[in-house]
Amino acid sequence: MAANRGVVYLEPGKVEVQNIDYPKMQSPNGKPIEHGVILKVVSTNICGSDQHMVRGRTTAPAGMVLGHEITGEVIEKGKDVEFLDIGDLVSVPFNVACGRCRTCKEGHTGVCLHVNDDRAGGAYGYVDMGGWVGGQAHYVMVPYADFNLLKFPDRDRAMSKIRDLTMLSDILPTGFHGALNAGVGVGSTTYVAGAGPVGLAAAASARLLGAAVVMIGDFNPQRLEHARKMGFVPIDLSQHDRLGEQIAEVVGQPQVDGAIDAVGFEAVGHGGKEQPAVVLNQMMDITREAGSIGIPGLYVTEDPGATEKAAQSGNLSLRFGLGWAKAHSFHTGQTPVVRYNRQLMQAILHDRLNIAEIVNAQVISLEDAAQGYQQFDSGVASKFVLDPHGMLGAA
């Protein structure tokens, strides 16, 4: 049995790469399973959602192995796995889903009813998501493998684009889900809040869907400059407190067809003060009547670090009456990755979507994960990809 190491959350602001148990074919409650596989992790990414936990903004327990963005090679499989073979290279949706319950059969794999004893929905290495061990490690176990895993059709071709394909586990489908839910189509005017990796993935998705103009708003000058280089229209939120006026300078009117919130509950307003509802309220202000708002940004039921008491239990000061009066559609929740990842894989393999360049993917070793977390938290315009076995460097 090979040794295993993984990124472990210790306390707010601190993670460490430690020796961890080699994965077993069993559920978090110890029940043996035969529908799973063990993967040798080829790549695994640091996500903004991980940062929420590491900052102490959730109830994540010390000792949790992090990581829900996983690409790997099948090295062991249970006897109930029929359609995957040893050596297959696969993308792992961050949703843990059974494929058998009512919501999974309806395509809502982000709220699977069977993989979490406490509530609907499961994920690897994430608080309140069922206790599934994370994949920022050398090896990880994936349940319900036939349903969950996306097999790459050609290993050599996949490895040649592995920096792009590693984004299929979360941020690319998440950005695409946000763009679709914002009603983006040919000729749309679109605004994306947040120029981090998910915001850039949403912007890239909007462009893929035919948007005429894609604006990205942020306070971070480095991220805005990178967005500009990638062909999006940067909106510097530090220069103005009236977003509609900034949008009017670009499209001639203070509204857009659809908006995407890629920021979530740690949003800040002018002056640097945290205002967890500020982005959602801005979305309602700038989105046209009968328009749609996609919300791939994370909102939580418990936020112990919130500055507003109500927000500590997930209650936000929304101007919901405005959204109601304008007949807006709101779309929230975990992205059902399996709904989109095959199509997006094809877009990558056929050179329609250079997502690694768009999110500025930076490959680092697993042992350097703590430094990657620190740099990402400082606001650098990069997406950090961990390379546990040196396979990306070789590719």
Side-chain angles (χ1 to χ4, degrees), residues 268-349:
V268 297
H270 283 267
K273 180 181 178 181
E274 191 167 295
Q275 298 174 253
V278 66
V279 171
L280 293 172
N281 287 327
Q282 287 175 337
M283 301 293 95
M284 289 184 279
D285 185 49
I286 65 167
T287 301
R288 67 173 176 83
E289 288 74 11
S292 296
I293 300 170
I295 310 173
L298 176 66
Y299 289 86
V300 294
T301 56
E302 293 183 78
D303 175 10
T307 56
E308 298 179 7
K309 186 174 181 179
Q312 293 176 7
S313 56
N315 293 305
L316 306 181
S317 300
L318 282 175
R319 194 183 174 194
F320 192 72
L322 176 61
W324 190 94
K326 295 175 76 174
H328 285 157
S329 297
F330 298 83
H331 302 267
T332 66
Q334 286 188 37
T335 297
V337 172
V338 296
R339 190 183 299 176
Y340 309 114
N341 59 358
R342 184 173 299 277
Q343 302 95 307
L344 293 170
M345 174 188 72
Q346 296 289 11
I348 289 170
L349 293 176

Side-chain angles (χ1 to χ4, degrees), residues 355-380:
I355 189 62
E357 179 184 10
I358 289 170
V359 302
N360 194 24
Q362 302 295 319
V363 178
I364 62 175
S365 73
L366 179 70
E367 297 298 324
D368 290 331
Q371 295 170 261
Y373 269 93
Q374 291 176 355
Q375 291 182 56
F376 191 30
D377 197 42
S378 73
V380 297

Side-chain angles (χ1 to χ4, degrees), residues 37-89:
V37 298
I38 292 175
L39 299 181
K40 176 182 178 181
V41 178
V42 173
S43 64
T44 177
N45 315 327
I46 297 174
C47 180
S49 297
D50 297 322
Q51 289 286 19
H52 294 308
M53 291 187 292
V54 174
R55 292 188 191 112
R57 299 301 297 268
T58 71
T59 56
M64 174 179 285
V65 180
L66 301 174
H68 57 272
E69 300 190 10
I70 309 163
T71 304
E73 176 187 352
V74 178
I75 59 172
E76 297 181 35
K77 69 176 190 174
K79 65 182 182 182
D80 289 345
V81 178
E82 297 184 64
F83 306 114
L84 293 165
D85 295 316
I86 303 300
D88 284 346
L89 198 63

Side-chain angles (χ1 to χ4, degrees), residues 193-222:
V198 170
L200 290 165
S205 299
R207 186 160 61 192
L208 185 68
L209 289 165
V213 60
V214 182
M215 294 162 279
I216 302 184
D218 208 299
F219 290 98
N220 185 315
Q222 185 180 358

Side-chain angles (χ1 to χ4, degrees), residues 2-325:
N4 197 15
R5 286 175 66 75
V7 180
V8 179
Y9 169 67
L10 299 179
E11 61 185 27
K14 187 174 182 180
V15 299
E16 185 175 278
V17 180
Q18 299 181 351
N19 294 327
I20 62 174
D21 291 338
Y22 188 82
K24 299 177 181 178
M25 291 285 196
Q26 64 181 38
S27 67
N29 59 17
K31 181 181 178 181
I33 62 175
E34 295 292 349
H35 46 67
V37 298
I38 292 175
L39 299 181
K40 176 182 178 181
V41 178
V42 173
S43 64
T44 177
N45 315 327
I46 297 174
C47 180
S49 297
D50 297 322
Q51 289 286 19
H52 294 308
M53 291 187 292
V54 174
R55 292 188 191 112
R57 299 301 297 268
T58 71
T59 56
M64 174 179 285
V65 180
L66 301 174
H68 57 272
E69 300 190 10
I70 309 163
T71 304
E73 176 187 352
V74 178
I75 59 172
E76 297 181 35
K77 69 176 190 174
K79 65 182 182 182
D80 289 345
V81 178
E82 297 184 64
F83 306 114
L84 293 165
D85 295 316
I86 303 300
D88 284 346
L89 198 63
V90 295
S91 179
V92 184
F94 78 88
N95 322 106
V96 182
C98 72
R100 305 169 183 179
C101 68
R102 175 179 178 176
T103 54
C104 282
K105 288 179 178 180
E106 292 174 347
H108 302 298
T109 54
V111 282
C112 174
L113 303 177
H114 290 161
V115 295
N116 188 343
D117 292 337
D118 296 324
R119 69 189 202 193
Y124 304 92
Y126 209 84
V127 60
D128 296 330
M129 289 285 102
W132 300 93
V133 177
Q136 287 175 10
H138 285 286
Y139 303 95
V140 69
M141 193 279 293
V142 174
Y144 303 102
D146 279 332
F147 177 73
N148 284 300
L149 295 180
L150 174 66
K151 176 183 173 181
F152 298 138
D154 181 272
R155 183 186 179 91
D156 291 340
R157 189 179 182 191
M159 287 304 298
S160 72
K161 291 184 175 291
I162 193 64
R163 292 171 66 252
D164 298 284
L165 293 170
T166 191
M167 307 304 167
L168 288 174
S169 57
D170 181 358
I171 67 163
L172 180 53
T174 293
F176 191 80
H177 186 60
L180 273 182
N181 285 335
V184 178
V186 174
S188 294
T189 57
T190 305
Y191 175 77
V192 181
V198 170
L200 290 165
S205 299
R207 186 160 61 192
L208 185 68
L209 289 165
V213 60
V214 182
M215 294 162 279
I216 302 184
D218 208 299
F219 290 98
N220 185 315
Q222 185 180 358
R223 288 183 169 182
L224 287 171
E225 175 58 18
H226 179 71
R228 184 193 64 78
K229 289 179 179 178
M230 294 299 102
F232 309 116
V233 179
I235 302 293
D236 187 348
L237 299 177
S238 68
Q239 299 301 309
H240 209 308
D241 62 358
R242 293 183 177 86
L243 178 58
E245 293 183 13
Q246 291 177 287
I247 286 173
E249 292 176 4
V250 179
V251 297
Q253 55 185 342
Q255 64 180 16
V256 292
D257 294 319
I260 304 166
D261 173 6
V263 176
F265 73 104
E266 287 193 69
V268 297
H270 283 267
K273 180 181 178 181
E274 191 167 295
Q275 298 174 253
V278 66
V279 171
L280 293 172
N281 287 327
Q282 287 175 337
M283 301 293 95
M284 289 184 279
D285 185 49
I286 65 167
T287 301
R288 67 173 176 83
E289 288 74 11
S292 296
I293 300 170
I295 310 173
L298 176 66
Y299 289 86
V300 294
T301 56
E302 293 183 78
D303 175 10
T307 56
E308 298 179 7
K309 186 174 181 179
Q312 293 176 7
S313 56
N315 293 305
L316 306 181
S317 300
L318 282 175
R319 194 183 174 194
F320 192 72
L322 176 61
W324 190 94

